[in-house]
Amino acid sequence: MSYSTASHTTFYHRYHVVWATKYRFKVLQGTMRERLREIIRQTCAELDVHIVKGVVARDHVHMFISVP
């Protein structure tokens, strides 16, 4: 756990993000699931976002992230 600081503030931003497919269709399987996981990791690395915990289920994605 690391706190970020600015000139007059100290903060620690963590968010719980959930994405769900339309009508909760179970389409996140196989190669699509692996590609989605790869895209999420690449995007988070580019934006300097740390994934504390993440799960890709068949019909939704849970992510607990720490944002600088």
Side-chain angles (χ1 to χ4, degrees), residues 16-37:
H16 180 222
V17 180
V18 179
W19 292 309
T21 59
K22 189 171 183 177
Y23 305 119
R24 300 291 288 228
F25 286 140
K26 296 175 180 10
V27 296
L28 302 177
Q29 304 179 62
T31 57
M32 182 182 287
R33 182 181 195 166
E34 295 302 318
R35 180 68 180 135
L36 177 63
R37 185 173 293 172

Side-chain angles (χ1 to χ4, degrees), residues 11 15-16 25 33 39-40 44-45 47-48 52 63-65:
F11 49 91
Y15 298 99
H16 180 222
F25 286 140
R33 182 181 195 166
I39 290 170
I40 290 171
C44 288
L47 297 175
D48 196 29
V52 177
M63 289 176 48
F64 191 58
I65 58 176

Side-chain angles (χ1 to χ4, degrees), residues 1-5 10-14 48 50 52 66-68:
M1 175 165 87
S2 62
Y3 289 91
S4 301
T5 58
T10 301
F11 49 91
Y12 183 56
H13 296 278
R14 292 172 61 149
D48 196 29
H50 175 68
V52 177
S66 176
V67 181

